[in-house]
């Protein structure tokens, strides 16, 4: 599969900002997704980037650089409910590959 | 309500006993796929289907079969399950491979 790298864990304080980086292989690249997965639940869609630049959606923003094979997910004004695993996923040709996920813990 | 439905949610079975996990979506999506999720490895795609009667291997297809006879259904078949197939399985559907995927609630399979 496509090699997708993202940090395993991150911890931040309520109200702070956290940036989750993701690198992926660019061969046959068609787009980059971010999903959120709470413990014991199914993943839910957060964002999709296909062009370079920043996409902002409320407290969450996602950035893509196609030439560098790099993306990040920015979580602003962190809330306790943002404690979850964040999955970076690349679409290459017709296949989808996921990173192992970044577990974000928000502390009061 | 738009949803992807998987059954069963939990299953314990014995090595070699054929089983099927069903997946159904009501959104008229063309693209469907199966994943397994294991600690430290994340979601790995098993098989995907771009439309009826069109299926292809993902990254970890060994030991699994799928079929797509109708647009809404995409069952996952384990002909002879083995303990290394113990995992959490997710079905997902989307309009195509480059659009938002909707996931089922997951099937926790244990093979003893």
């Amino acid at each position: 599969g496509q090699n997708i790298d993202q940090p395993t864990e991150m911890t931040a304080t309520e109200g702070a900002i956290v940036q989750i980086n993701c690198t992926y292989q660019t061969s046959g690249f068609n787009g980059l997704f971010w999903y959120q997965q709470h413990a014991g639940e199914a993943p839910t869609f957060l964002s999709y980037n296909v062009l370079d630049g920043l996409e902002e959606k409320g407290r969450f923003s996602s950035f893509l650089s196609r030439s560098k094979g790099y993306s990040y997910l920015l979580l602003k004004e962190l809330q306790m409910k943002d404690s979850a695993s964040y999955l970076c996923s690349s679409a290459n040709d017709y296949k989808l590959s996921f990173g192992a996920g970044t577990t974000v813990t928000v502390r009061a | 309500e738009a949803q992807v439905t998987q059954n069963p949610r939990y299953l314990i079975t014995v090595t070699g006993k054929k089983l099927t996990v069903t997946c159904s979506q009501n959104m008229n999506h063309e693209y469907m796929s199966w994943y397994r999720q294991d600690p430290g490895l994340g979601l790995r795609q098993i098989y995907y289907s771009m439309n009826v009667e069109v299926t292809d291997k993902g990254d970890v297809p060994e030991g699994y079969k799928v079929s797509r006879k109708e647009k809404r259904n995409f069952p996952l078949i384990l002909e002879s399950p083995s303990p290394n197939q113990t995992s959490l399985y997710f079905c997902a559907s989307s309009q195509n491979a480059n659009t938002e995927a909707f996931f089922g609630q997951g099937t926790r399979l244990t093979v003893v």
Side-chain angles (χ1 to χ4, degrees), chain B residues 2 13 15 18 20 25 28 34 37 43 46 53 55 58 60 66-67 72 80 85 88 92 100 107 109:
Chain B
T13 190
T15 298
K18 180 179 178 179
T20 299
Q25 51 97 0
N28 202 37
W34 275 102
Q37 187 171 37
L43 283 163
I46 302 170
E53 302 291 3
T55 63
V60 288
V66 292
S67 68
R72 63 183 294 124
S80 183
Q85 293 178 297
L88 177 60
E100 170 188 358
T107 295
L109 172 67

Side-chain angles (χ1 to χ4, degrees), chain A residues 1 35 37 42 45 94-96, chain B residues 31 37 45 50 59 100-101 104:
Chain A
Y35 288 86
Q37 186 177 24
F45 171 81
Y94 296 105
K95 294 171 72 169
L96 293 171
Chain B
Y31 189 91
Q37 187 171 37
Q45 194 175 47
M50 289 183 284
D59 291 327
E100 170 188 358

Side-chain angles (χ1 to χ4, degrees), chain A residues 24-32 49-50 64 66 90-93:
Chain A
Y24 62 90
Q25 291 185 1
T26 57
S27 159
F29 177 75
N30 287 329
L32 196 290
N49 294 67
V50 64
L64 180 69
R66 293 177 66 116
S90 76
N92 297 77
D93 297 318

Side-chain angles (χ1 to χ4, degrees), chain A residues 17-64:
Chain A
I17 298 173
V18 72
Q19 177 175 316
I20 306 170
N21 296 325
C22 170
T23 58
Y24 62 90
Q25 291 185 1
T26 57
S27 159
F29 177 75
N30 287 329
L32 196 290
F33 297 89
W34 284 95
Y35 288 86
Q36 180 190 59
Q37 186 177 24
H38 285 102
E41 298 183 7
T44 54
F45 171 81
L46 287 178
S47 69
Y48 173 66
N49 294 67
V50 64
L51 300 175
D52 285 356
L54 187 68
E55 295 272 347
E56 297 187 77
K57 198 187 281 188
R59 294 188 300 113
F60 293 0
S61 304
S62 56
F63 172 84
L64 180 69

Side-chain angles (χ1 to χ4, degrees), chain B residues 60-109:
Chain B
V60 288
E62 294 78 19
Y64 305 94
K65 284 174 56 177
V66 292
S67 68
R68 188 92 181 273
K69 296 191 172 98
E70 319 160 90
K71 202 170 194 178
R72 63 183 294 124
N73 295 324
F74 190 45
L76 178 70
I77 303 153
L78 284 72
E79 294 271 4
S80 183
S82 62
N84 65 11
Q85 293 178 297
T86 291
S87 187
L88 177 60
Y89 291 86
F90 285 103
C91 177
S93 77
S94 54
Q95 193 50 50
N96 57 59
N98 302 320
T99 55
E100 170 188 358
F102 294 82
F103 285 80
Q105 287 305 104
T107 295
R108 189 165 290 282
L109 172 67

